[in-house]
Each structure stands twice: as structure tokens, then as C-alpha cells.
Amino acid sequence: MAKFVIAGKADCPYYAKAELLADYLQKSLPDFQIFKITQHPDVWEEWLKDVCEKNKWSHKKSPIIWRELLDRGGKGFLLGGYNEFLEHAQLYYGVTSSMTTEMMMIIAQENLEAHREKQLRKESVKDLVSPLQVWITSASTPAGCNLIPILVSGDVFGEHTEMSLTLFDQQQAEEHLRSLAMETQDLASPLLRSVAVCTREEGAFLQARVVIVLDDSTVQEVHSLEDCLRRRVPLCQLYGQLLEKNADHSVRVIVGGKTFVNLRTVLLKRFAPSIAHNIIAVALGVEGEAKAVLARKLKTAPSCIKNVIIWGNITGNHHVDLRKTRVYNQESAIWGPSPYSRPLLDLIFDSEWLKTEFVTTLKTLTATGKHFGSILAAHSISTTLKYWYHGSPPGEIVSLGISSEGQFGIPEGIVFSMPVKFENGTWAVLTDLEDTEISEERMTEMTSDLIQEKLVALGELMTFQPYKSETETPKRDETILSITEDHQEERRLSNERKGSMYSASDEVDLARTLKQLPEHDSDV
């Protein structure tokens, strides 16, 4: 009995060609048997490296083909790639392949789709066999309390997905956690298999498949923005190491809150490299605040406003882009069916309001983070998770904080909020959007902040220096001026308070005062 194993990337055309040849041999020869393995392109290289290290092979391309020595009890014998398999088939069986390149590409795409469907079925079966393990860090915070009922309702993960919930926080919060766990049980949700409390670091994230990272609930004294930034490193390092050690290899990590969301996300990615591709930051809260302000101006519901794009630092210096924003069900002289919408910038005739009051209102809402309440935080996190699992509404733009890979000219190595869509359990950056270019100076201003935050936090830079343009004259004088004047007062108050101590609740306000940068900008 000759048993061959054929493994490759799901979208590899040469794997498709080897598979067809192997199928023919298995059908024609009674003693020829094949076993197929496909891996998603994102995990192929890591999987291949593990297989080669385990068997002491040297192979770097897709596919990889080996023969299982069933009759000898030894390890598999590496045959090689497609060319070696073709030579083997010609030499021993007198069979070759005549598949065209076009057919190879078609079958490769079909294999990728089949692989995705197979993975989704496996996930569904896994959910039926064992509950989805969900962990919430800093669960005793108000955001954690508001998040729990939404998670167990079935609206986020699916109406048939059972879950086990673990509330994780520091030792001093244990009593509160146990009370919260009892309240959660009282919900009597049919999807909640169990709820547990964890305050021991060594047991954190055990078998976790979803981890929700909220703001740290501790209160510590800080002296400067640099102290605020460096304080984030120890906890993110601890969480990263625990995720690497205890969590499921497919764990999805979502970072929310109102303090240094981009920074905490990039630090988690640094300290949990094997799951870095599955760590994202929530930007829907800021998006929701902008929609609410616009809805009050238009006298409509915030849910009728779509495609507000948040660029940059989610809880810091970011850019609100309204160029793709559309309004549905707007009461006006022009009516249409349910899918009908109009560009928001065509409905707000007061461009002066957009440049001044709109920007100032958003700045006021998030300058201290106090208006970014626990209900909004919980809703933003749960909605992002829902999109991650089930896809975002077709045609709708979603803002998400992810690692930059150079899209839109954003430097690599930072977490940046940008427009995406969710589908098939992942997201895709909408790089094909037209008329979404951000001015080079504005982009440099936002990226400079994020790069410096990361370097200061890691100790590679001693002080944070706010970005200053060469001319010191913003292009949109009116918008920037209205914010700059507000910051003059903040700087005066900051000087009066020099030498005083600040608690964690003041960190965001302190950070923004020390930056001396505008919190928001809108594209009109």
C-alpha cells in the first residue's frame, strides 16, 4: 500500500495540479492512497515550518508531498513538491498531468473557498461540542457590567452558540466579580453554559477563544504623559505572555476603552506575536459619537447615518472623515425607497458649523473620556465582535484599529484606525475607496503621535514631542484655530498645576493637555 500525503496552501495552483494527478492515481491503482491537507494562506508558512522541523525536512514551497512508510513503522519519506511528485508518477506509474494554467487557477480558487467553508463548519461543530470560551479583563468596570448581557443574548456570536464566560480582574475586585457572576447567572440565558471568576494571573485566558480587553481599573498616581504611556507596558506584556501560553491558537482579542487604545493594541501585538494578526482595536465608539452629533443637527436618528470614517488614534488625535457619509430616511423634499440615501455633505448647508461647532463638540465629548460612557463602550465592542463573526452590513464602511501594512501611506508598525469591511470571519481594508486621501501634513501629524507613543512607552524615546509643521500654519485655519484657543486655556491650567499628582481618571485629560494637539478634525 502506497500512501501519499499532499499538503499545500488552499489557493496554490500547483497544489491543485498535484491533487488532480493524485486523484487519478488513487482511482486507477488499487494500492495507491492519498491524504490531503490544505491550510489557509495566512498560516501556511508557520504550519510548513512546524512540519519540517518535526520531521527534519528542508522544504519551503507549496505543495509539500511525502510518503507514509506504513509497512516500516518509520517517519514519512519526503518526496518534495509538485515537480518531484510528477517525476515519481511518470517513473513508477507512467502517468503525467496535462492541466492548463487557467484550469490550475480556477481549481485553486475553488479549493480556497472549500477550505473556508470547511473551517466554518469545523467552528460550528466545535461550538456544539464545547462552549465558546470568552474572557473579559477588568470585568468589574462599568463597561464590563454593561457588556455581559449583550454577549449572552445570542446577538453577538449567534443564536445557537453556547458560551462560557470568565470575569478576570485583580484580587481586590474579587468580591465585586463574584457578585457580578451571580447577577449574570440570574439572567438565565439559555446560551450561557457557565460563568467563572478569575483573579490569578497564571490561570488567565485558559483555552480562551475570545478575549475582550477593557481599560485597567486600578488607580495609580502619574506625573506626566510619558508616565501614562510607560504604565501601559507591564500589563500588556503580562497579557501578551498569558495569551501566548494559555489561549486557544485561534483566539480573537479585541481592545476597547477610552485610554490609549491604539497603544495598548500595538503592545499586545508585540508581546503576543503568534496571535498578533487577531488583535484589533475598537473605533465604533468614536464613530457613534460623531453620528449622534450629526443626527442632532439633521434632526434624524443616528442609525440613519452611515459611513463615517475615523482615521488615526482612536482615543487621541484622530480625523473624522465625512466625505463618504450618507444619510438614510431623511425627511426632506426628496424621498425614496428604503435603500435610498443622500450624501451628508449635501444636506448640511452650513459648512461653517462642520468646521467649527462640530469639531469643537466632538473634542469636548472625548477630551477627558468622561462622555465615552460604559454603555457606548459595551455597544461598540459587541457590535465589532458581531461584525467579526458574521460580517458587516453589505456596502457599509466600518472604522477599525488594525496594524498598518503601508495602506494609504501609513507607516508600518503602528495601529491605526482606517476603513474596513468584515466578511468570512476576517476584515479587509477598503484601499479602493475614492476621494479618501488625507493631506500629507495631517497624516504625518497623526502618525507622528502614534509612533512617539510607542517609542516612549517602550523606553526608546524619553520625551513626547508634539508634531509641528514646518510653517506652523494649518491649512484649515478656522477648524484648527477653534481648537487651539481651547488648548491655550488647558496649557495655562496645566502650568498652574505643575508639581501636583494626578490619578488614573485624569490620564486622558493630562495626555491631551501635554500633547497640545487638536483632538479632532473633520473632512468636509
Side-chain angles (χ1 to χ4, degrees):
M1 172 68 71
K3 179 181 179 181
F4 288 84
V5 179
I6 302 176
K9 287 194 298 184
D11 62 348
C12 174
Y14 290 99
Y15 171 82
K17 198 168 185 178
E19 178 189 30
L20 183 65
L21 177 58
D23 285 339
Y24 176 80
L25 291 172
Q26 180 172 249
K27 184 177 180 181
S28 304
L29 304 172
D31 293 332
F32 188 94
Q33 184 180 358
I34 61 169
F35 182 74
K36 305 175 187 177
I37 301 174
T38 57
Q39 295 292 335
H40 193 278
D42 292 343
V43 300
W44 162 254
E45 291 185 3
E46 183 179 350
W47 181 88
L48 178 62
K49 181 180 177 182
D50 291 341
V51 169
C52 290
E53 287 181 354
K54 179 181 178 181
N55 294 280
K56 297 182 180 180
W57 293 337
S58 177
H59 190 83
K60 299 186 180 298
K61 295 182 179 181
S62 173
I64 180 173
I65 304 170
W66 69 88
R67 180 176 178 179
E68 295 284 356
L69 303 179
L70 301 177
D71 55 342
R72 303 182 188 179
K75 69 175 184 177
F77 174 76
L78 177 64
L79 195 62
Y82 168 73
N83 289 333
E84 289 78 10
F85 182 56
L86 182 60
E87 291 176 3
H88 182 86
Q90 289 174 333
L91 180 62
Y92 285 91
Y93 308 112
V95 176
T96 188
S97 174
S98 58
M99 182 185 292
T100 63
T101 301
E102 182 180 1
M103 183 60 66
M104 288 167 59
M105 300 302 296
I106 292 173
I107 295 179
Q109 188 60 36
E110 291 176 351
N111 282 341
L112 180 59
E113 293 299 325
H115 177 80
R116 287 172 176 167
E117 293 177 4
K118 181 180 178 181
Q119 289 299 111
L120 290 174
R121 287 196 299 270
K122 285 176 65 177
E123 291 294 325
S124 300
V125 171
K126 188 175 182 180
D127 288 340
L128 294 174
V129 174
S130 60
L132 186 70
Q133 298 290 336
V134 180
W135 286 68
I136 304 176
T137 76
S138 302
S140 62
T141 59
C145 299
N146 283 282
L147 183 60
I148 292 172
I150 306 176
L151 294 179
V152 303
S153 67
D155 186 53
V156 177
F157 302 113
E159 297 179 355
H160 305 290
T161 302
E162 293 188 347
M163 60 182 291
S164 289
L165 184 63
T166 304
L167 310 178
F168 179 50
D169 213 325
Q170 299 188 7
Q171 185 69 42
Q172 55 264 36
E174 183 171 3
E175 184 176 348
H176 186 184
L177 288 181
R178 296 199 179 281
S179 175
L180 186 58
M182 292 182 63
E183 287 190 59
T184 304
Q185 291 173 332
D186 291 344
L187 293 173
S189 169
L191 299 177
L192 183 62
R193 184 84 65 88
S194 65
V195 57
V197 168
C198 179
T199 57
R200 298 191 321 151
E201 294 174 354
E202 59 270 20
F205 310 137
L206 192 63
Q207 298 179 342
R209 291 176 59 202
V210 176
V211 174
I212 301 167
V213 181
L214 301 177
D215 283 319
D216 185 8
S217 58
T218 61
V219 177
Q220 297 180 5
E221 294 178 337
V222 294
H223 297 80
S224 65
L225 171 61
E226 287 78 8
D227 286 342
C228 293
L229 296 172
R230 294 184 183 114
R231 270 192 51 208
R232 267 59 202 173
V233 176
L235 189 62
C236 289
Q237 184 174 15
L238 173 65
Y239 283 177
Q241 293 169 346
L242 292 171
L243 286 167
E244 288 278 311
K245 178 182 177 182
N246 296 336
D248 187 89
H249 72 278
S250 63
V251 63
R252 303 184 184 192
V253 182
I254 185 167
V255 183
K258 55 187 179 182
T259 58
F260 303 106
V261 169
N262 294 57
L263 175 64
R264 291 189 289 127
T265 305
V266 80
L267 290 175
L268 280 175
K269 287 175 174 286
R270 179 185 180 91
F271 296 119
S274 69
I275 59 168
H277 61 285
N278 260 5
I279 303 177
I280 62 175
V282 178
L284 289 186
V286 183
E287 192 177 307
E289 287 182 334
K291 289 178 179 179
V293 175
L294 293 167
R296 286 193 288 270
K297 178 69 174 177
L298 292 172
K299 295 181 173 55
T300 188
S303 61
C304 296
I305 299 176
K306 308 290 185 183
N307 302 342
V308 173
I309 302 174
I310 307 299
W311 299 88
N313 192 343
I314 296 166
T315 51
N317 185 15
H318 55 256
H319 181 91
V320 181
D321 191 344
L322 305 179
R323 289 172 293 181
K324 294 296 180 183
T325 306
R326 302 192 70 86
V327 182
Y328 294 77
N329 302 321
Q330 170 69 7
E331 294 186 10
S332 64
I334 301 176
W335 283 83
S338 180
Y340 176 74
S341 65
R342 298 178 64 190
L344 178 133
L345 296 180
D346 289 352
L347 296 174
I348 297 182
F349 303 104
D350 187 358
S351 60
E352 216 36 52
W353 178 87
L354 285 172
K355 294 178 180 179
T356 55
E357 187 176 340
F358 173 65
V359 174
T360 305
T361 301
L362 287 181
K363 173 194 171 294
T364 303
L365 285 173
T366 57
T368 62
K370 293 177 180 177
H371 288 272
F372 189 80
S374 56
I375 295 177
L376 177 58
H379 175 75
S380 304
I381 292 168
S382 61
T383 302
T384 304
L385 272 173
K386 178 181 178 180
Y387 290 168
W388 200 351
Y389 272 83
H390 304 292
S392 53
E396 189 169 323
I397 301 172
V398 179
S399 300
L400 184 68
I402 58 175
S403 288
S404 169
E405 297 178 356
Q407 306 97 327
F408 308 105
I410 302 167
E412 297 183 17
I414 59 174
V415 169
F416 201 90
S417 179
M418 60 184 79
V420 305
K421 66 176 179 179
F422 285 90
E423 60 182 1
N424 298 322
T426 186
W427 62 87
V429 180
L430 298 176
T431 55
D432 57 347
L433 289 177
E434 297 180 356
D435 302 323
T436 56
E437 296 82 5
I438 307 296
S439 70
E440 183 178 350
E441 182 177 332
R442 186 72 179 108
M443 185 66 77
T444 302
E445 182 183 333
M446 291 188 288
T447 56
S448 174
D449 279 3
L450 289 169
I451 292 170
Q452 287 193 77
E453 282 187 1
K454 178 182 175 182
L455 294 177
V456 170
L458 295 172
E460 298 175 19
L461 188 66
M462 295 307 298
T463 59
F464 185 98
Q465 297 293 332
Y467 170 79
K468 295 181 180 179
S469 66
E470 295 180 359
T471 61
E472 291 293 327
T473 304
K475 292 182 179 179
R476 283 179 295 253
D477 292 338
E478 295 168 342
T479 303
I480 303 298
L481 179 61
S482 65
I483 299 173
T484 305
E485 290 172 348
D486 292 336
H487 276 272
Q488 297 288 345
E489 178 65 11
E490 289 182 355
R491 288 198 292 273
R492 184 185 66 79
L493 294 173
S494 176
N495 290 331
E496 292 177 357
R497 297 187 296 179
K498 277 184 178 178
S500 62
M501 304 291 280
Y502 295 85
S503 67
S505 62
D506 299 316
E507 288 176 12
V508 179
D509 184 52
L510 171 65
R512 285 154 170 65
T513 302
L514 290 169
K515 282 185 186 179
Q516 303 176 15
L517 285 173
E519 296 302 328
H520 298 274
D521 195 6
S522 63
D523 230 326
V524 296

